[in-house]
Amino acid sequence: MTGINIIIRIILPTDDIFLTLTAIGAKDYIATVSLHTSLPEEYKKLFLEKIHQPRKYILITAEQACKLQRFP
């Protein structure tokens, strides 16, 4: 597995497009706070400081995954 501490993806709640969530044994998370920047290096720094390090994310449930992917 890759990622940081076995966390493969943390999805931001403001994202317009979501990757397909799969059942490969990996856990997908959604951030509980949003980031607003267009600069990649600033985004990376803010992500680590505001979301990853303080653990501002939660595990996505099956119901949330369905809603994110627009399933009925």
Side-chain angles (χ1 to χ4, degrees), residues 10-21 68-70:
I10 298 176
I11 300 166
L12 294 178
T14 55
D15 287 349
D16 293 329
I17 299 172
F18 297 97
L19 297 172
T20 300
L21 303 175
L68 287 171
Q69 295 179 98
R70 311 257 193 267

Side-chain angles (χ1 to χ4, degrees), residues 55-71:
R55 294 182 172 218
K56 297 282 187 172
Y57 52 87
I58 58 173
L59 186 63
I60 295 176
T61 65
E63 290 172 351
Q64 290 168 324
C66 288
K67 287 180 184 177
L68 287 171
Q69 295 179 98
R70 311 257 193 267
F71 286 104

Side-chain angles (χ1 to χ4, degrees), residues 37-55:
T37 182
S38 59
L39 303 172
E41 286 303 313
E42 184 179 356
Y43 175 86
K44 183 178 176 180
K45 180 181 177 223
L46 286 174
F47 178 83
L48 291 171
E49 289 176 1
K50 305 286 184 187
I51 296 175
H52 189 268
Q53 291 170 350
R55 294 182 172 218

